[in-house]
Amino acid sequence: MINFGIDLGTTNSVFARYQEGNVEIFKNPIGHKETLPSVVGFRNERILIGDKAREYLEKDPRNVFGSFKRKMGTDESYWVESIQQVKTPVDLSAMVLKELRNFIYTGEIPDSIVITVPASFDTIQSNATKEAGYQAGFGEVLLLQEPIAASLAFVNKTTEKTDRKWLVYDLGGGTFDLALVETKYGEMKVIDHEGDNFLGGLDFDNRIISRIIIPYLDRIAAFENLDHDLHSSGGKYNKLYYVLQKKAEEVKLTLSAALTASIEFEIELPDGSTKEVYFDITRAEFENVIRDLVIRTIDIVRLVLERNELQPNELNCILLVGGSTFTPCVREWIAQELDIIVSTAIDPTTAIAAGAAYFAGTKRKQFISPAKPANFQDLSIKTGYAKVSQDTEEYFVAEATGKIDNLQYRLTRADGGYDTGLRQFNSRITEFLQLLPQANNQFELRIFDAQQQLVYHDSSIQIVSGKYGILGQPLPHDICIEVDDKENNTTKLELVFARNSSLPLKTTLTKSVSKTIHTASGDSIVINILEGNQGAIPSSNLSIGIIEIKGDQLSVDLVKGSDIEITLEMSESRDLRVTTYLMMSDQEFTNLFTPSARHVNINKLLDEIKGLHFAVTQEIRAANIREEYEVSQRLSALINTLNDAEAEARTIAVDDVTDRKYQLDDKKKFVAAQMDMLTRDKLKMSAKLDYFNTRNKAQDVLVSHGNDEEKTRFSNLLKQEKQILSGDTTPAIESLTTQIRKIINPIYFRTPAYLISIYHYYASLDEYPDASEAASLKDKGDRSIANSNYEELRYIINKLHTLLPRKEQEKANIKGTGIS
Amino acid sequence: MRTVATHLKIINQFFEIEKKLAHLSGAESTQRHLARIRDHFNELGFQIHVPLGESYPDTRTDCEASIAGTSTEDLVITDVIKPIVHLAEDGAPLLLQKGVVITKSRS
């Protein structure tokens, strides 16, 4: 079957395909719209078709052409100034049809096509349309009248099968067409038609400007000749006119759904001052200014009815087609004035193309395509361009050898933001490719022969802008900030700049204060920036900058939970500037750290030594439990080093000028690194095991009890698995595990089977200090299960949990950083 | 997709606010917050670009432009009504919204 249908419109064209009972409307790969403006432009040796060409339509009439459908079948042609050639309406229509072929993303190349034509087209005009189809490379072209196409789209949406008459009312952007269609003996036919070639939605927009906005402006200031100054291309307000056009269109669209729409814009008043204009337009006001236009269409309907001696009640319905029929008053007034049922069963903008596709789906192809054209092997292309760039555009060159007669090329960017248009290919291509900043810019080069067949295609052209590349030195280590780890009563590292990032670097973090700092207190916030492995503990990394903001520096108390913004900037020479902004007090502190000056704060050093002492002690205990006695022994040796270091640190004054604090800092770092090395692998291993156990359990639970959203979240998390497991960071693995648990826990709690086993776990425990309360809850729990009262069971589980004693732990007294 | 559409509406309103505040004297203290909002949009994958003052050659298709004045050569963007918005999807940027702009010839 032919399957493909095109609505070749005066203003816009649409391409559709029929497949297995459904119609798909193709989208333009550049811009993703369903409609292609029927506009062709010839500028600077490029052929532009569609939206880009339309931008120039008004201003470059010698080289850009639209509405050529009106001239089909006539002797009229277009002189194109820039290429010094004549183009006929058929030529231009063929170009639009060729461009529509690009919308197909499946790789199919249709040889046969159905193209729609207005009911008013005579034989000559219709043949001209066929000719355009052949010129576009289609071997077989079937024509279909637009009202029939719309009716087919309608009929395929309903179950009406009996003989009927109806009207097709097509109000587009620039034209109005009315057709009277009947079905008789199973055949559909247009029996009458009428129209107005200069009436459409654009006129509605213009009425908003001329009859609402201009009068409003004339009321607020004494403009000399506002209308002229807006519309004339040299006029003072010409730029504003285009702004108003866009705004008026938006107002019109808004009023289709709402009763008021607001409009705002700036205008320079006659006295030189700038005024911001803002007012509401109601639907009633809008309807008032377009009333005569809509009534004109209704009069045309009456004319057709009279001519055919028909009463409204003899019509099945009136089908609305064309974007402008979305305007509510169009539908209301037709129903009111004509008393005919208004049908909005079909999408007005794509109905004709859809109908053409339905028709195409019933027609067998008669055409057999000829032998394949010139193959790729006749052409060899060498490309040259920078794969990495810091600029906004990059030079691209391509040279060809082989058969290069009558070829055209086109370069497009994958996101649709760049398009060279079709250009003559003379063995060498030179273009400036526009780049998106900080992105992988993917480009596609296509080369076409004279029949518009694709003979070469390369979509591997990729230019990375801004991200990688040798800007300066790469960072040899991670740069991290130290934050509170309240859960473990210690601190941990958060990544700021990753190892191998290119300098210079800048980032801003927002952190919240984890404890209240009073202005009069001796308490402080410490911002510690460290260089080293993010997975290691803070003490083993090199502190490259410390800022301590004390209470007495604050203008107001810094309340727990309030935000602080920390902006970190590292230059190519590794100078670090830290700007700390306290939102509560609106205070900013800036500190600059240079690599030559090392920073050791003796109080912090003491804290770190104490913290390390506690950590090493814990690890010794753990190693003994695992019977890893050698590890335990080596760790014990570190305790001695720490004890000596602590004793010495207590004798150093805060402003000591000797090197002693740096030596102690080194000692501390050494101990931390040793401990880290001895224990890190163990931690990572156990984190990995925990992750796999959790992940596998989660997979089972999701299959049987998870919903789609949970499954999607889980599979998104799994995408990170490979990268995180191969990295060196235990916290990252633990975090992934926690995130999986967060997805699964609600499932456990809502699934009766799991809920019951959770309850049984709590019920089996003996450790409840308040045994009688626990017993009573267990009774209730058993009864809830018997009554299948899971809401109650959830409550009981929570109660039992809170009854359990808190674990007691030996804690060192650590001040922490104050940020989390 | 509905969420993306809503985000786009918010981005367009944010752009309007940014534009207005740029002309308001005494509004410098809001710059920080505007920058933070932009950062948060970036975190969600949205890249907002205001192409004011940029060239508008024949090859540029990331905007819908109206041309003020008479000439169509050497166009530059003089007004931005809606910004260009990209959405990063697996590293490949998607053009979510074409910028709506007014252009004029430099000559």
Side-chain angles (χ1 to χ4, degrees):
Chain A
M1 300 304 181
I2 294 179
N3 289 334
F4 290 91
I6 292 180
D7 166 12
L8 186 61
T10 313
T11 320
N12 288 307
S13 298
V14 183
F15 193 5
R17 182 199 28 202
Y18 176 86
Q19 192 171 36
E20 286 163 17
N22 292 315
V23 162
E24 183 191 352
I25 310 290
F26 287 115
K27 287 197 167 117
N28 192 341
I30 308 264
H32 307 289
K33 280 166 63 182
E34 286 176 335
T35 54
L36 177 76
S38 306
V39 182
V40 181
F42 302 85
R43 288 177 48 85
N44 300 318
E45 294 169 10
R46 294 175 203 281
I47 302 174
L48 310 172
I49 305 169
D51 288 289
K52 191 67 191 171
R54 190 174 60 175
E55 287 177 357
Y56 297 103
L57 183 58
E58 206 190 300
K59 291 296 162 78
D60 193 5
R62 293 186 192 176
N63 295 304
V64 183
F65 311 100
S67 303
F68 32 83
K69 184 171 169 178
R70 293 189 184 139
K71 303 258 184 356
M72 289 288 264
T74 68
D75 283 336
E76 285 188 55
S77 57
Y78 301 89
W79 171 251
V80 186
E81 181 89 14
S82 61
I83 57 172
Q84 297 286 297
Q85 279 180 30
V86 170
K87 292 287 175 193
T88 63
V90 169
D91 292 331
L92 298 175
S93 298
M95 285 175 174
V96 171
L97 292 170
K98 278 186 218 173
E99 182 71 3
L100 284 169
R101 286 179 114 165
N102 289 330
F103 286 28
I104 302 176
Y105 57 88
T106 54
E108 293 166 84
I109 305 172
D111 296 314
S112 308
I113 190 80
V114 168
I115 304 179
T116 58
V117 290
S120 57
F121 262 24
D122 58 30
T123 314
I124 294 177
Q125 289 169 306
S126 301
N127 281 339
T129 307
K130 263 195 178 165
E131 185 57 39
Y134 297 137
Q135 220 175 295
F138 293 107
E140 184 183 4
V141 179
L142 261 61
L143 300 180
L144 181 67
Q145 287 177 318
E146 284 158 15
I148 304 283
S151 303
L152 280 174
F154 167 66
V155 147
N156 277 294
K157 284 255 180 208
T158 69
T159 50
E160 300 267 2
K161 291 285 178 225
T162 51
D163 290 351
R164 296 269 186 232
K165 282 192 177 72
W166 60 78
L167 289 166
V168 179
Y169 175 107
D170 182 351
L171 185 61
T175 55
F176 171 66
D177 290 292
L178 183 74
L180 178 63
V181 181
E182 76 170 0
T183 51
K184 216 174 188 181
Y185 315 121
E187 279 250 330
M188 214 186 277
K189 197 172 138 189
V190 176
I191 51 179
D192 197 0
H193 59 85
E194 192 57 64
D196 185 337
N197 266 343
F198 297 95
L199 171 57
L202 286 169
D203 299 295
F204 291 2
D205 299 344
N206 284 329
R207 286 292 176 94
I208 292 177
I209 298 175
S210 60
R211 296 198 186 180
I212 298 180
I213 299 176
I214 293 181
Y216 180 93
L217 289 173
D218 279 330
R219 284 199 294 276
I220 61 167
F223 294 94
E224 257 185 52
N225 200 348
L226 184 57
D227 197 287
H228 172 267
D229 288 339
L230 273 170
H231 289 107
S232 154
S233 61
K236 181 179 176 192
Y237 295 116
N238 185 235
K239 202 166 75 167
L240 177 61
Y241 173 68
Y242 296 105
V243 174
L244 292 181
Q245 251 194 345
K246 292 267 183 272
K247 303 257 175 187
E249 193 189 353
E250 265 178 41
V251 164
K252 178 183 74 176
L253 295 172
T254 307
L255 291 175
S256 289
L259 294 174
T260 48
S262 53
I263 185 165
E264 60 176 282
F265 54 90
E266 257 180 30
I267 186 168
E268 193 192 316
L269 298 179
D271 64 9
S273 64
T274 306
K275 182 164 174 70
E276 189 154 309
V277 176
Y278 179 96
F279 63 97
D280 286 343
I281 299 175
T282 62
R283 192 189 278 183
E285 282 172 288
F286 170 60
E287 288 175 355
N288 205 31
V289 303
I290 62 166
R291 179 177 289 275
D292 63 307
L293 298 172
V294 181
I295 295 296
R296 206 185 316 167
T297 66
I298 292 175
D299 288 342
I300 290 173
V301 174
R302 287 208 178 96
L303 174 68
V304 168
L305 289 177
E306 260 177 48
R307 229 161 39 198
N308 291 275
E309 289 165 4
L310 281 170
Q311 292 302 316
N313 59 12
E314 291 177 73
L315 293 172
N316 180 237
C317 65
I318 182 166
L319 276 185
L320 298 189
V321 173
S324 301
T325 56
F326 279 122
T327 313
C329 63
V330 168
R331 303 171 177 200
E332 281 160 21
W333 291 342
I334 290 171
Q336 223 174 290
E337 298 283 327
L338 299 169
D339 202 20
I340 308 175
I341 299 168
V342 171
S343 172
T344 50
I346 44 179
D347 176 356
T349 40
T350 56
I352 290 175
Y358 278 120
F359 181 68
T362 62
K363 289 289 171 193
R364 226 168 258 293
K365 279 191 259 193
Q366 305 292 330
F367 176 77
I368 294 147
S369 50
K372 288 280 171 243
N375 62 39
F376 288 33
Q377 277 149 18
D378 286 351
L379 198 63
S380 155
I381 310 277
K382 268 200 168 68
T383 58
Y385 55 94
K387 293 202 166 30
V388 171
S389 172
Q390 298 310 312
D391 293 322
T392 53
E393 56 180 21
E394 245 340 292
Y395 188 60
F396 174 88
V397 65
E399 277 183 2
T401 47
K403 274 189 107 171
I404 50 169
D405 309 317
N406 296 319
L407 295 178
Q408 285 180 314
Y409 75 88
R410 189 169 183 178
L411 264 161
T412 48
R413 198 172 69 200
D415 72 316
Y418 174 89
D419 181 2
T420 58
L422 279 167
R423 295 200 78 182
Q424 211 58 41
F425 185 33
N426 300 319
S427 83
R428 193 177 152 91
I429 297 171
T430 57
E431 293 281 358
F432 275 100
L433 305 180
Q434 278 146 32
L435 304 177
L436 286 170
Q438 304 291 316
N440 292 351
N441 290 269
Q442 204 103 19
F443 291 89
E444 189 179 352
L445 169 64
R446 282 174 294 161
I447 299 177
F448 304 91
D449 65 12
Q451 284 78 41
Q452 281 297 298
Q453 302 293 335
L454 190 67
V455 295
Y456 181 85
H457 175 241
D458 180 1
S459 55
S460 67
I461 300 163
Q462 190 173 270
I463 301 178
V464 175
S465 64
K467 264 202 265 187
Y468 315 112
I470 319 297
L471 278 171
Q473 301 303 308
L475 263 188
H477 304 289
D478 293 336
I479 303 282
C480 310
I481 186 172
E482 190 179 359
V483 300
D484 279 341
D485 181 0
K486 284 275 179 223
E487 240 176 55
N488 298 310
N489 206 22
T490 178
T491 60
K492 62 181 180 191
L493 295 177
E494 214 175 272
L495 189 65
V496 173
F497 302 126
R499 187 174 58 153
N500 286 333
S501 310
S502 300
L503 294 165
L505 289 159
K506 181 177 178 180
T507 192
T508 303
L509 317 165
T510 306
K511 298 265 139 218
S512 51
V513 176
S514 61
K515 56 182 183 185
T516 299
I517 314 278
H518 296 288
T519 56
S521 70
D523 222 343
S524 58
I525 290 177
V526 172
I527 296 165
N528 190 12
I529 316 294
L530 300 136
E531 181 180 81
N533 193 317
Q534 194 231 332
I537 56 169
S539 326
S540 70
N541 286 348
L542 172 67
S543 173
I544 53 173
I546 290 188
I547 304 165
E548 193 175 354
I549 299 174
K550 298 200 178 79
D552 56 21
Q553 288 172 274
L554 302 172
S555 57
V556 299
D557 286 348
L558 208 58
V559 168
K560 175 180 168 180
S562 65
D563 280 348
I564 51 176
E565 243 180 44
I566 306 169
T567 303
L568 301 109
E569 294 171 73
M570 184 169 264
S571 71
E572 279 195 36
S573 48
R574 312 252 288 271
D575 291 333
L576 178 68
R577 179 200 298 273
V578 183
T579 309
T580 315
Y581 172 70
L582 309 176
M583 295 228 188
M584 263 210 79
S585 58
D586 197 28
Q587 285 174 284
E588 200 174 86
F589 302 88
T590 305
N591 298 76
L592 189 63
F593 303 101
T594 54
S596 56
R598 190 163 149 187
H599 298 273
V600 176
N601 178 307
I602 203 70
N603 293 328
K604 189 147 200 334
L605 181 60
L606 263 168
D607 255 359
E608 283 169 1
I609 293 172
K610 277 193 240 163
L612 254 181
H613 197 289
F614 173 64
V616 174
T617 313
Q618 295 283 81
E619 291 296 345
I620 292 172
R621 216 170 279 167
N624 286 335
I625 291 171
R626 295 192 307 272
E627 295 178 9
E628 286 174 14
Y629 297 116
E630 203 208 309
V631 169
S632 162
Q633 204 168 20
R634 287 170 73 177
L635 286 168
S636 301
L638 296 179
I639 292 277
N640 295 332
T641 315
L642 283 172
N643 288 337
D644 292 341
E646 187 178 341
E648 202 182 329
R650 289 190 187 286
T651 67
I652 300 178
V654 173
D655 53 359
D656 188 288
V657 299
T658 68
D659 278 347
R660 285 192 296 165
K661 61 182 178 195
Y662 300 117
Q663 287 159 353
L664 281 176
D665 191 47
D666 278 343
K667 228 179 244 178
K668 172 216 84 178
K669 285 224 305 279
F670 169 77
V671 168
Q674 288 291 299
M675 184 197 81
D676 207 33
M677 188 192 68
L678 287 166
T679 58
R680 201 193 320 166
D681 279 343
K682 162 211 109 185
L683 285 173
K684 193 157 92 148
M685 188 56 54
S686 89
K688 275 189 181 171
L689 275 170
D690 187 29
Y691 167 77
F692 282 118
N693 283 337
T694 310
R695 185 200 73 180
N696 294 341
K697 246 190 268 174
Q699 272 161 343
D700 291 335
V701 170
L702 279 166
V703 156
S704 43
H705 299 289
N707 63 33
D708 284 338
E709 193 242 333
E710 285 156 350
K711 285 177 184 160
T712 307
R713 275 167 62 202
F714 179 69
S715 87
N716 284 341
L717 280 180
L718 283 193
K719 284 180 190 159
Q720 303 169 39
E721 183 185 281
K722 190 168 165 194
Q723 195 188 9
I724 288 186
L725 287 181
S726 60
D728 208 16
T729 56
T730 306
I733 301 172
E734 284 168 352
S735 164
L736 194 60
T737 314
T738 308
Q739 286 179 75
I740 293 179
R741 286 205 179 102
K742 280 193 182 152
I743 299 175
I744 302 306
N745 284 344
I747 302 179
Y748 286 144
F749 267 83
R750 70 166 185 256
T751 312
Y754 289 120
L755 201 63
I756 292 170
S757 65
I758 293 172
Y759 165 74
H760 281 137
Y761 163 74
Y762 278 98
S764 67
L765 294 175
D766 277 330
E767 285 96 337
Y768 300 101
D770 189 344
S772 66
E773 174 71 15
S776 154
L777 283 170
K778 286 178 198 180
D779 276 338
K780 285 196 186 138
D782 292 339
R783 275 204 298 279
S784 304
I785 293 177
N787 296 332
S788 300
N789 186 349
Y790 300 117
E791 193 67 46
E792 176 78 0
L793 192 62
R794 257 192 289 275
Y795 170 75
I796 288 164
I797 290 171
N798 285 325
K799 287 286 287 188
L800 282 170
H801 178 80
T802 56
L803 272 190
L804 279 173
R806 266 185 224 160
K807 285 189 221 164
E808 294 298 315
Q809 270 184 1
E810 216 183 329
K811 283 175 200 164
N813 183 23
I814 301 176
K815 239 167 42 166
T817 60
I819 51 171
S820 63
Chain B
M1 270 324 275
R2 231 179 62 182
T3 320
V4 170
T6 309
H7 278 127
L8 204 51
K9 288 182 195 170
I10 297 171
I11 288 170
N12 286 332
Q13 289 303 311
F14 166 73
F15 163 73
E16 291 288 337
I17 293 172
E18 231 185 13
K19 213 162 84 161
K20 290 199 159 88
L21 287 175
H23 291 128
L24 218 58
S25 63
E28 293 79 19
S29 59
T30 59
Q31 291 308 311
R32 174 188 306 280
H33 304 288
L34 295 174
R36 297 307 287 127
I37 295 176
R38 261 185 186 265
D39 288 344
H40 293 313
F41 278 128
N42 289 344
E43 279 164 36
L44 287 170
F46 296 101
Q47 290 292 330
I48 307 167
H49 182 61
V50 180
L52 189 65
E54 289 177 18
S55 297
Y56 194 69
D58 288 339
T59 50
R60 190 164 184 168
T61 48
D62 59 359
C63 294
E64 283 172 23
S66 301
I67 304 172
T70 41
S71 171
T72 55
E73 299 308 315
D74 199 18
L75 297 174
V76 66
I77 295 174
T78 56
D79 276 85
V80 179
I81 301 171
K82 275 191 180 162
I84 303 169
V85 182
H86 279 92
L87 178 62
E89 211 148 79
D90 301 324
L94 182 71
L95 181 59
L96 208 58
Q97 175 176 278
K98 282 194 179 186
V100 178
V101 302
I102 312 285
T103 60
K104 202 176 156 112
S105 173
R106 256 186 262 258
S107 41

